[in-house]
Amino acid sequence: MAEHESLEFGKADFVLLDNVSMEEFMANLKLRFEKGKIYTYIGEVVVSVNPYRAMNIYGRDTVEQYKGRELYERPPHLFAIADAAYKAMKRRNKDTCIVISGESGAGKTEASKYIMQYIAAITNPNQRAEVERVKNMLLKSNCVLEAFGNAKTNRNDNSSRFGKYMDINFDFKGDPIGGHISNYLLEKVQCCMFCLVHQLLRGAPDSLLRSLHIQKDPTVYNYIKVGGQIKSCINDGADFKAVADAMKVIGFTGDEIQTAYKILATILHLGNMTFGVDGDVTLIETPKLVSVIRELLSTKEENVEKALLYRTVATGRDVIEKQHTEQEASYGRDALAKAMYERLFCWIVGRINDIIEVKNYDNNRLGCDTIFHRYKTRPQIFYLHIKYFTSVAIFAVLSFCINYCNEKLQQLFIQLVLKQEQEEYQREGIPWKHIDYFNNQIIVDLVEQQHKGIISVLDEACMNVGKVTDEVFLQGLNGKLAKHAHYTSRKLSPTDKSLEFDRDFRIRHYAGDVVYSVVGFIDKNKDTLFQDFKRLLYNSANPVLKGMWPEGKLSITEVTKRPLTAATLFKNSMISLVENLASKEPYYVRCIKPNDVKSPLLFEQERCRHQVEYLGLLENVRVRRAGFAYRQTYPRFLQRYKMISEFTWPNHDLPSDKDAVKRLLQGCGFDHDVAYGKTKVFIRTPRTLFSLEEQRAEMVQRIVLFLQKVWRGTIARMRYRRMRAALVILQAYRRYKVKSYIREVNRRFKNVRSMKDYGRHVKWPTPPKVLPFEETYTFLFLFTSRWWAWTLIKGLTPEETLQVRAKVASLEALKGQRADLGLQRAWEGNYLVSSWGESVGGGTRLTLYTRKDKYMRVLFSCNVRKINRFHKAEDRAVLITDRHLYKMDPLKQYKPMKSTPLYNVTGVSVSPGKDQLVVFHTKDSRDLVVCLQGMVPANESRIGELVGTLLSHFKR
């Protein structure tokens, strides 16, 4: 069953119709056509309706949708059939064939193109040059064959006028490596309606037309005017260039292409050649054309004229020349034109085959020994492009042969379908129900049976000595087929006025009754071409043209075997074709033409109904539906419907898939409408299948929601794990960079203890970006500086330690406030010692202060200038111990004038200038303002020493 199409588009498979009737079949076909669904299945048969518009369903994305899929997994499409044939060929090593049939204009040619394009698209994944070359030539060969074998008609711009059988050879990997093309029943009577003739007239450059002596106007040529004025919407100029380019790609030489053009021009000129009579002599009324034809055929002018007007006949050893009558000359001219076109077409097919056929195939060249040798032959896919059944006998033998071909293929179709059904049921152990169907073997025998068939009677009439007429042939038919149920004529049915006496006979074909007129049967069957024309063309100076007529080298008196008639040749080819197809695994494409006006909107019910009858589509549905409407292997059935049952979802624990399918169908209540084979389940009616589909559709929605939930959770967890992993990586990287930096710092400062300056000259490395530069540098620099300072300080004496601390305190307090802190000199602290001396009993004075104040040490002493509240300056001295602040009079042997406990001093203020003004603040607000004095360098002062000493003391 085709998936992904709702019932609004109708049934995607005609087998699933509720009632198998012509009315329901046509209603479903019309509905799908109106909805834009041009493909529908009948089991494994594709019914294609010509849409008469471009459809975007053949692109690369569509190819990917059908590649490797089963038929039922996607909506009906040509690509599905092509893929099924390709898989059967590749996986099972079976030769397969695709039979494309239908009326002229039904889309057979386009269908074959799309199938070829699909095969070309899905092969060669490695883009190897050799395989690409083969595929390109196979595709280009289609273009050339259509140009020479398709005709422009009022009903179709690209109407196929020959049957085509193409086989494509593949290697063991499934890549195309070559092919072969066979053609059947070219309608050479319409040789000047073929596409390339119109392309040549309308699209060729003027220089080429002048060299061929032809004009652009098609109405100038009689052979073209016979078909009436043809309206075309095709760009002949572009098509002409495309065909010329395709021939070059395939491998045609420039001389070969020019020869093809010359033959076409010769045929056009032959059509304009007329004959007249002067007494008993037949004359050519257009002698200029003889000269033109002579030039085009590269032969002698007298030989051309002689071949057109005379016939050489050998009677024993004597050779005589018999002049044609006007009627015989016209017949010979037309026969020559048709024969030239037929030989040209067959030569083109042969040249293409010479190029694309696999020659000197070397297994080792593809790098394969043991794998390839297990194939007996190279797998192949065959495309059979055949004509449609015609019910009007316009072209006598041609129409008869076409209908005979359809009878043979319809018989093969029914046999293969029934055979497949029977074999499948027997293989699966399912009882087979007999099917009544029209067995058209009786009609095939009516046509081809030895000694009794129509072709045998026709050949006998053609071989009779003397004048044989079409009426004699009809009499022979009436004599041998008088009692045949499917044959009648006016003589056998005198009351049937639809038949003419001595002219018509009727055959009851499988698709309906067809009346044939015997007029022209004898001549068309003999298809006589005088030997003079063959010798004329064989003696051409053009080697290409000469090669097309090898029998022209025979001597006039040489006795040859009677050639087979046209009907016998076609019969033999059909028998060979059917035998070949019977050995293949067949796939079918049935093409239907919806209307005669090429409208994409019009669906002519009655016309389509006749085509359905002629193609036997309804009969095919009945055959397919005789037993069961649907069948599928147990694993695939479970894969599609297992969500319906709790016993099979998500997986079952039953002994086998067959038991699981039984449990599923029993739970749904459909056990009465199914049968269980060895490997497949068979469903009898479509309603059961539709019910399963409805239940599946309901469950799919719930499963989708569940899957969305699970998937979203999975995505969130995946995102979290990625983020966490990224974070771990980032952290590890940061740690690595930090450790690397620290190791580098450690390496540079490893031996600083033994250095004289303890590493002060070592340059710091630049920290990584993961570390803030300022913070890292400051932290490590301070850390190192502290260590360096500690290393220096630990060797100092206690007095030196006190001085260092005082300097540090001064620097912290006054840095940036004063320029001269005196940090570079030693701080004496007690500057009055030298001033007291022995004369004033300095030592005795200090001892006195020590007993009185009980201080431990002198923090600072110095001579100062005191400024009182009246702004009067006086010389004084300041002594600061660890207990008191003394103001002394140096003129009275440093007698204390005022003593202030050190704990009453609340602060010290200094000026930012170069002066040494100091203010001691006290709790009683009786501040002491002094200006320090001393024998110190001009650029230094004692302010820093005083402030640092006091701060250091108070911090302790």
Side-chain angles (χ1 to χ4, degrees), residues 375-394:
Y375 294 105
K376 295 180 180 179
T377 59
R378 288 180 292 276
Q380 296 175 321
I381 287 183
F382 302 83
Y383 300 94
L384 177 61
H385 184 160
I386 65 171
K387 292 187 162 300
Y388 180 72
F389 188 92
T390 176
S391 60
V392 181
I394 299 175

Side-chain angles (χ1 to χ4, degrees), residues 563-691:
L564 296 177
T565 62
T568 299
L569 287 173
F570 187 71
K571 180 190 76 171
N572 294 340
S573 64
M574 282 297 101
I575 293 174
S576 175
L577 173 63
V578 169
E579 289 176 353
N580 196 6
L581 292 178
S583 65
K584 311 293 186 283
E585 184 169 329
Y587 296 86
Y588 294 91
V589 178
R590 302 299 205 189
C591 300
I592 292 178
K593 184 177 183 179
N595 58 75
D596 282 327
V597 295
K598 303 179 183 179
S599 170
L601 304 176
L602 180 60
F603 186 89
E604 295 178 354
Q605 191 88 8
E606 196 60 29
R607 158 177 261 289
C608 295
R609 182 189 184 102
H610 286 315
Q611 295 177 69
V612 169
E613 292 175 348
Y614 293 155
L615 291 169
L617 299 183
L618 191 62
E619 193 170 45
N620 187 12
V621 176
R622 291 195 179 103
V623 169
R624 187 73 178 178
R625 279 284 299 273
F628 298 88
Y630 177 80
R631 74 284 313 270
Q632 190 54 260
T633 59
Y634 293 119
R636 288 193 173 275
F637 186 88
L638 274 179
Q639 183 180 1
R640 184 166 181 81
Y641 298 110
K642 64 180 181 179
M643 69 285 297
I644 296 176
S645 173
E646 60 181 346
F647 299 105
T648 56
W649 178 259
N651 294 300
H652 67 84
D653 56 358
L654 297 171
S656 65
D657 289 343
K658 181 177 181 179
D659 295 329
V661 172
K662 285 184 178 180
R663 189 67 177 269
L664 186 152
L665 292 172
Q666 288 171 358
C668 296
F670 299 138
D671 195 49
H672 65 283
D673 198 40
V674 298
Y676 302 100
K678 296 178 182 178
T679 62
K680 293 182 179 180
V681 59
F682 294 80
I683 298 178
R684 191 175 303 277
T685 62
R687 291 192 178 276
T688 299
L689 189 63
F690 293 149
S691 179

Side-chain angles (χ1 to χ4, degrees), residues 295-338:
E295 178 186 341
L296 295 175
L297 298 181
S298 301
T299 185
K300 297 179 180 179
E301 186 172 340
E302 58 270 21
N303 292 345
V304 175
E305 185 174 355
K306 183 178 179 181
L308 289 170
L309 296 177
Y310 294 89
R311 178 184 178 188
T312 304
V313 180
T315 57
R317 294 182 179 180
D318 298 328
V319 177
I320 61 174
E321 292 182 354
K322 179 183 177 182
Q323 187 176 26
H324 290 314
T325 64
E326 182 181 359
Q327 182 179 1
E328 289 173 342
S330 298
Y331 171 82
R333 174 203 61 198
D334 295 340
L336 175 62
K338 292 184 290 183

Side-chain angles (χ1 to χ4, degrees), residues 219-288:
T219 61
V220 173
Y221 302 99
N222 294 330
Y223 280 157
I224 297 181
K225 286 193 293 186
V226 171
Q229 187 174 359
I230 298 174
K231 297 180 180 179
S232 175
C233 57
I234 293 179
N235 187 338
D236 291 299
D239 288 348
F240 177 82
K241 186 177 184 304
V243 173
D245 293 340
M247 294 181 73
K248 292 177 183 177
V249 170
I250 293 173
F252 286 86
T253 65
D255 291 339
E256 290 173 340
I257 297 174
Q258 285 298 319
T259 300
Y261 296 154
K262 289 178 180 180
I263 292 175
L264 295 179
T266 300
I267 294 172
L268 291 174
H269 292 309
L270 283 173
N272 285 359
M273 183 173 289
T274 59
F275 300 92
V277 178
D278 185 6
D280 294 335
V281 180
T282 304
L283 302 174
I284 298 176
E285 295 180 340
T286 52
K288 290 184 179 180

Side-chain angles (χ1 to χ4, degrees), residues 113 116-117 120 132-148 164 166 181 241-252 348 352 356:
K113 285 183 186 178
M116 282 284 292
Q117 290 174 4
E132 280 297 308
R133 183 189 69 84
V134 172
K135 291 196 303 189
N136 190 33
M137 287 209 289
L138 289 172
L139 293 175
K140 293 294 184 182
S141 67
N142 260 345
C143 173
V144 176
L145 291 177
E146 287 177 13
F148 284 92
K164 180 173 64 178
M166 174 184 288
I181 299 170
K241 186 177 184 304
V243 173
D245 293 340
M247 294 181 73
K248 292 177 183 177
V249 170
I250 293 173
F252 286 86
I348 289 173
I352 294 175
I356 67 175

